[in-house]
């Protein structure tokens, strides 16, 4: 199967089955045995189309009487793929973009190929004029140009201002770097970098985190021998910072109440040098095996994975833990670079989150011993899911207080106050919120 065909299959799967892009890509790449040289282009095409869908449909609508939202799904996706290649990919000639797309349509639905061919040729002919977004309303202009639901742009412009929002939108369209976390139980950063370099993988040390490496050209990770041997885990810097802030001592008792697939849990277990005991919970049974698989691969034996709903109070574990991490479910608006489909979430879909987050935080606090640490984190930049949750919690729980964060030097404006607000365009990493509290009595 060629790269464009696979991209079409993945895009259809994401749309039909509401799957996350990264999961659908992994699943299809595994099942379809894609050639190594096709992985990059296929991934770029999939992410490019999702990232720019509103804009691509806007361009399409300028040329077609039948509007994008009325088209059959497959015809629209073929057109989005073709227009994306013409307007965004310098590496693909206009001729190839049209011909390859039309060939694909022919094999799928012959009667639509003339229509697709005509639209794509018109895109090429009128490139200069149709590529421009001619919308005067600021919110609609930005939500078309950058492809977002208008409510998100409106929310950010009101909250952060125009310049901040545009910088954020630009950063969200950038390709995120890949970072790996060294399994310090099995190797050192230097040794791992040298082994990766032998595989022609470019490595760069991250000065602020001693276990972090930025890598380039690391493909087909699950089949990489060093990965299979458990020498590293793929994890963004922001997520590693959460582990650094919890920073559990050896032999302590830790509870991670929303822990699948286990990125932060395995980091905590490593920081503890595989001593003590970590109870790693998640509400989904099928995700528990992901935690166990990663722990096994990394050679960690101090993790006990359990299926448990964090919104239900577990009376058996009150006051039992030295450290509790609540890495709660959230809107994900800080990780749009990695999951661009988040741009199209409806406001209503996210309405319930703050009350779930508050409930989970409240329960999490009950498991913390006196003098114990409670860390709350999200991968979103929305105050309603972040600092507002913490402030409301502190109002009702004066036995907890925020404590200055000194494990990292990231958000100098806030970390002395006990929390970090991380933004992709300011800090060059996933957007996160992390608060550190201690139980004082
Ligand atoms: C942000 S993710 C956690 C990521 C994880 N800490 C890591 O670093 O790999 C949030 C997790 O919370 C889980 N979750 C959602 N609702 C939950 C609940 N009520 N109780 C426990 N886990 C829940 C989700 O299944 C998801 O795996």
């Amino acid at each position: 199967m060629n790269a464009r065909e696979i991209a079409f299959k993945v895009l259809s799967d994401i749309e039909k089955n509401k799957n996350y892009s990264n999961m659908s890509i992994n699943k299809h790449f595994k099942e379809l045995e894609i050639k190594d040289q096709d992985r990059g282009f296929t991934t770029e095409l999939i992410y490019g189309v999702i990232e720019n869908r509103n804009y691509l449909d806007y361009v399409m609508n300028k040329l077609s009487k039948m509007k994008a939202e009325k088209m059959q799904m497959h015809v629209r996706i073929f057109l989005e793929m073709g227009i994306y290649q013409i307007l965004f990919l310098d590496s693909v000639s206009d001729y190839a973009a049209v011909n390859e797309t039309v060939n694909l349509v022919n094999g799928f639905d012959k009667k639509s190929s003339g229509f697709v061919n005509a639209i794509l040729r018109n895109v090429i002919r009128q490139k200069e004029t149709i590529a421009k977004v001619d919308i005067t309303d600021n919110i609609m202009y930005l939500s078309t140009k950058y492809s977002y639901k208008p409510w998100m742009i409106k929310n950010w412009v009101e909250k952060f201002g125009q310049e901040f929002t545009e910088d954020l939108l630009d950063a969200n369209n950038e390709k995120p770097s890949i970072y790996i976390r060294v399994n310090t139980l099995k190797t050192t950063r230097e040794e791992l970098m040298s082994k990766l370099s032998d595989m022609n993988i470019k490595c760069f040390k991250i000065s602020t985190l001693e276990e972090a490496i930025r890598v380039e050209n690391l493909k087909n990770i699950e089949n990489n021998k060093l990965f299979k041997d458990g020498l590293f885990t793929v994890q963004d810097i922001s997520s590693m910072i959460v582990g650094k802030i919890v920073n559990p001592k050896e032999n302590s008792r830790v509870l991670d109440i929303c822990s699948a697939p286990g990125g932060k849990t395995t980091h905590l277990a490593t920081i503890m040098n595989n001593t003590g005991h970590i109870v790693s919970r998640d509400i989904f049974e099928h995700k528990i095996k992901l935690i166990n698989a990663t722990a096994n691969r990394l050679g960690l034996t101090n993790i006990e994975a359990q299926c448990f709903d964090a919104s239900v109070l577990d009376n058996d574990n009150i006051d039992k833990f030295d450290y509790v991490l609540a890495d709660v479910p959230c809107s994900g608006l800080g990780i749009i670079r990695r999951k661009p489909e988040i741009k199209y979430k409806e406001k209503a879909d996210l309405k319930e989150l703050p009350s779930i987050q508050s409930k989970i935080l409240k329960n999490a606090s009950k498991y913390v011993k006196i003098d114990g640490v409670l860390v709350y984190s999200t991968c979103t930049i929305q105050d309603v899911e972040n600092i507002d949750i913490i402030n409301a919690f502190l109002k009702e729980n004066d036995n907890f207080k925020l404590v200055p964060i000194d494990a990292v030097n990231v958000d100098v404006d806030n970390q002395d106050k006990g929390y970090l607000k991380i933004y992709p365009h300011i800090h060059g990493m996933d957007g996160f919120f992390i608060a550190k509290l201690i139980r004082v009595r």
Side-chain angles (χ1 to χ4, degrees):
M1 207 177 260
N2 76 33
R4 289 177 176 85
E5 230 173 321
I6 297 174
F8 172 72
K9 253 185 168 301
V10 173
L11 286 165
S12 307
D13 175 52
I14 294 169
E15 197 158 327
K16 243 192 275 170
N17 305 319
K18 304 258 174 283
N19 278 334
Y20 275 124
S21 49
N22 56 342
M23 291 189 189
S24 183
I25 288 174
N26 285 344
K27 183 180 122 211
H28 283 85
F29 279 15
K30 240 189 231 165
E31 282 171 7
L32 300 174
E33 289 187 2
I34 182 166
K35 289 189 220 115
D36 267 358
Q37 66 263 32
D38 282 346
R39 279 173 183 265
F41 178 65
T42 312
T43 310
E44 184 162 5
L45 197 49
I46 295 165
Y47 278 119
V49 166
I50 301 173
E51 247 164 41
N52 295 288
R53 177 154 275 151
N54 277 2
Y55 172 70
L56 296 170
D57 290 358
Y58 169 78
V59 170
M60 197 186 300
N61 284 346
K62 281 189 178 183
L63 297 169
S64 168
K65 273 198 196 114
M66 160 91 80
K67 298 300 164 211
E69 60 276 16
K70 292 265 160 66
M71 283 178 200
Q72 285 177 284
M73 186 187 82
H74 67 275
V75 176
R76 177 176 44 76
I77 293 177
F78 284 131
L79 278 172
E80 287 165 346
M81 287 171 56
I83 298 173
Y84 178 73
Q85 291 169 69
I86 294 167
L87 296 183
F88 288 84
L89 293 187
D90 293 338
S91 58
V92 178
S93 69
D94 290 349
Y95 172 82
V98 178
N99 275 13
E100 293 290 331
T101 308
V102 171
N103 283 344
L104 209 57
V105 184
N106 257 327
F108 196 85
D109 165 20
K110 251 193 169 54
K111 63 181 189 320
S112 300
S113 63
F115 172 68
V116 170
N117 187 32
I119 298 282
L120 294 184
R121 286 191 190 279
N122 272 330
V123 173
I124 296 171
R125 242 173 261 136
Q126 303 176 42
K127 221 187 235 180
E128 298 304 315
T129 48
I130 56 150
K132 226 174 131 247
V133 178
D134 324 292
I135 297 176
T136 43
D137 178 78
N138 181 43
I139 304 298
M140 289 315 291
Y141 170 79
L142 292 176
S143 74
T144 305
K145 181 174 174 208
Y146 290 95
S147 291
Y148 280 79
K149 282 281 172 198
W151 77 264
M152 279 186 204
I153 304 278
K154 187 165 179 287
N155 177 282
W156 289 341
V157 170
E158 280 170 11
K159 171 102 191 82
F160 301 130
Q162 183 76 14
E163 199 182 329
F164 186 106
T165 303
E166 285 192 44
D167 290 347
L168 172 65
L169 297 173
D170 280 331
N172 280 349
N173 269 2
E174 278 165 22
K175 218 171 162 181
S177 299
I178 298 180
Y179 298 93
I180 59 174
R181 195 186 78 233
V182 181
N183 182 1
T184 48
L185 297 177
K186 290 196 176 186
T187 185
T188 62
R189 179 158 72 171
E190 272 60 34
E191 200 175 57
L192 179 62
M193 285 177 74
S194 146
K195 285 184 178 163
L196 288 166
S197 302
D198 291 344
M199 296 175 159
N200 284 327
I201 294 159
K202 279 198 189 159
C203 297
F204 306 86
K205 273 186 195 170
I206 301 301
S207 54
T208 45
L209 287 175
E210 66 267 23
E211 59 266 72
I213 305 172
R214 182 170 70 79
V215 287
E216 281 176 16
N217 202 29
L218 173 61
K219 294 185 184 126
N220 204 354
I221 296 170
E222 293 197 347
N223 290 325
N224 181 293
K225 169 149 185 3
L226 304 176
F227 176 81
K228 283 190 188 167
D229 289 347
L231 300 196
F232 67 88
T233 295
V234 178
Q235 192 175 39
D236 190 69
I237 299 290
S238 306
S239 289
M240 293 188 216
I241 289 175
V242 175
K244 289 306 229 188
I245 290 175
V246 180
N247 198 22
K249 291 200 181 96
E250 287 192 11
N251 294 309
S252 44
R253 279 181 57 79
V254 177
L255 176 63
D256 183 356
I257 53 172
C258 296
S259 70
K264 297 181 192 74
T265 268
T266 51
H267 190 196
L268 299 177
T270 312
I271 292 173
M272 284 158 67
N273 235 334
N274 204 15
T275 66
H277 188 63
I278 304 196
V279 177
S280 300
R281 293 181 162 174
D282 203 275
I283 193 169
F284 295 114
E285 185 72 54
H286 68 274
K287 290 190 179 182
I288 300 300
K289 62 176 185 289
L290 301 176
I291 305 171
N292 285 328
T294 305
N296 289 339
R297 185 177 59 79
L298 298 176
L300 294 162
T301 52
N302 57 347
I303 295 173
E304 183 189 343
Q306 296 177 348
C307 187
F308 198 92
D309 180 352
S311 66
V312 175
L313 185 64
D314 173 9
N315 283 308
D316 294 341
N317 276 301
I318 308 283
D319 296 343
K320 291 264 170 71
F321 290 89
D322 304 298
Y323 302 85
V324 176
L325 171 61
D327 187 36
V328 296
C330 72
S331 60
L333 297 194
I335 53 165
I336 283 172
R337 295 180 305 169
R338 294 180 200 282
K339 295 184 182 166
E341 56 276 16
I342 290 174
K343 290 171 161 196
Y344 310 112
K345 281 195 178 175
E346 299 287 354
K347 196 174 182 181
D349 297 342
L350 311 176
K351 209 173 75 214
E352 305 297 326
L353 284 169
S355 73
I356 297 169
Q357 291 157 341
S358 290
K359 201 166 189 184
I360 292 180
L361 177 63
K362 189 173 163 199
N363 286 345
S365 72
K366 305 287 184 216
Y367 311 126
V368 182
K369 289 180 188 169
I370 292 175
D371 293 331
V373 172
L374 172 62
V375 171
Y376 175 88
S377 57
T378 70
C379 56
T380 191
I381 56 173
Q382 305 300 98
D383 277 352
V384 284
E385 299 177 59
N386 294 339
I387 191 66
D388 295 354
I389 301 283
I390 295 295
N391 286 336
F393 169 79
L394 288 173
K395 248 189 192 163
E396 290 182 359
N397 297 275
D398 62 1
N399 54 336
F400 279 86
K401 67 168 191 196
L402 282 163
V403 284
I405 292 172
D406 49 19
V408 288
N409 212 352
V410 173
D411 176 11
V412 283
D413 288 342
N414 294 311
Q415 62 183 65
D416 282 350
K417 292 182 254 168
Y419 57 91
L420 302 181
K421 287 181 170 189
I422 304 178
Y423 298 96
H425 62 297
I426 297 177
H427 305 100
M429 47 181 111
D430 287 350
F432 255 67
F433 174 80
I434 312 166
K436 181 177 182 182
L437 305 136
I438 57 163
R439 181 173 166 196
V440 286
R441 61 177 171 276

